Amino acid sequence: MGTKAPLQLLIFGSWLVAFGAAALLEYAPNASLWFPPAAVTFAAVMVLGLRALPVLWLGCLVVTLLADQIYQRGLAWPELLLAGLAFAITHTLAYAAVALVLRSRDDVLSPGAYRGNVTLFLMGGMLATGLSSALGGLSLAATGMTEFRELPALIPTWWIGDYAGLVTVAPLFAVLLTQLAEALEVTPRKRLEPLLGPRPWHALWPGAALKLLGLAALTLTILAIAVVFAAPFVLVLLLLACLPVQLWIARNESPLVTLLGVFGFTLLLAIATSATGLREQAPTLQFMVISVAIGSYLDLAADRRTERDTARP
């Protein structure tokens, strides 16, 4: 059965909302702590394959038109359409190349395959975000939406922001998309079935929810201390305190709770970077976001290996 309209609307709406979140939480022009549209694109192609591309292209075109209005570039319609087409191709090409490989893998429920999927996601995602940033920057310069002299500073900023958005949002969005697809009787490839975990959404309360709230409270407390006392070095405590808590959640709760913890931690830091005096600390906060995400996924993979070894006779 083909992909149904509600599923396509969800992808389109999620892509626009993700772009809006990145734009609203910018700490400098064209620079945000994360770029969640990269996650939406990656997850949509991984779950639905090439069926997701047309609506993703439409999203790229729409935000190109919006960006022209926001930054008042004043490009003519032919230039805008060309820029939107270039962005759509370079953006989806980079992420689809890795997502389709991950989608095609077999035996995803075995511990070894699960660890391989995690490695492919993390390493392949790094290459995909780098390629997308480089090609995207070059296409914008070629179509007149930016200057070539701005690319040496722009591309690395986009790269780390895209990767932060990818590793923190893509797995959770893929879970949501998979569940909706199954509810609509659209059969997805179950690439992230291991990340669903043994417990459904209603089982998050109360134990797991309290742990997630505790992580959020700890994060906000340390951020408040850093802002009130104007002491950026306090942010080191953020990683030292929150990473062990998140890894403890990953080890003792379902993978779904782990994904929610990573997403919540990232969202709080993105908001704080935009709304407070922490803009100059954005690279440090991005490093923390990526570290927490990677550490959590590797911990999940290690936990699967322990389960396999324990099950051996």
Side-chain angles (χ1 to χ4, degrees), residues 118-256:
V118 170
T119 301
L120 176 59
F121 172 63
L122 296 176
M123 300 301 295
M126 183 179 296
L127 294 176
T129 51
L131 181 62
S132 174
S133 302
L135 294 178
L138 290 172
S139 68
L140 288 182
T143 54
M145 297 197 73
T146 191
E147 300 291 336
F148 279 101
R149 57 183 173 82
E150 297 177 353
L151 295 184
L154 186 62
I155 290 176
T157 301
W158 280 8
W159 188 350
I160 191 171
D162 283 18
Y163 190 62
L166 178 69
V167 298
T168 57
V169 181
L172 180 61
F173 185 72
V175 169
L176 297 173
L177 195 59
T178 298
Q179 291 181 330
L180 179 61
E182 292 174 343
L184 295 173
E185 298 181 352
V186 177
T187 304
R189 296 292 293 248
K190 303 179 187 298
R191 296 303 93 190
L192 287 190
E193 187 173 278
L195 293 181
L196 291 172
R199 292 192 281 177
W201 288 91
H202 63 77
L204 295 177
W205 183 262
L210 292 176
K211 292 177 182 178
L212 293 175
L213 288 175
L215 176 62
L218 179 62
T219 302
L220 290 174
T221 299
I222 297 176
L223 287 173
I225 293 174
V227 172
V228 171
F229 293 98
F233 66 87
V234 174
L235 294 178
V236 177
L237 296 176
L238 193 64
L239 186 62
L240 295 177
C242 294
L243 180 58
V245 173
Q246 173 61 23
L247 294 181
W248 171 65
I249 291 175
R251 183 53 59 96
N252 292 281
E253 295 294 335
S254 69
L256 179 58

Side-chain angles (χ1 to χ4, degrees), residues 227-306:
V227 172
V228 171
F229 293 98
F233 66 87
V234 174
L235 294 178
V236 177
L237 296 176
L238 193 64
L239 186 62
L240 295 177
C242 294
L243 180 58
V245 173
Q246 173 61 23
L247 294 181
W248 171 65
I249 291 175
R251 183 53 59 96
N252 292 281
E253 295 294 335
S254 69
L256 179 58
V257 178
T258 301
L259 302 185
L260 290 171
V262 169
F263 174 76
F265 180 76
T266 303
L267 181 61
L268 290 177
L269 262 62
I271 294 174
T273 304
S274 175
T276 68
L278 298 176
R279 292 177 176 85
E280 295 182 355
Q281 305 301 318
T284 301
L285 294 174
Q286 285 177 319
F287 169 76
M288 293 180 184
V289 164
I290 293 172
S291 297
V292 167
I294 291 177
S296 299
Y297 302 150
L298 293 179
D299 190 76
L300 288 177
D303 191 45
R304 286 301 177 93
R305 181 175 182 178
T306 301

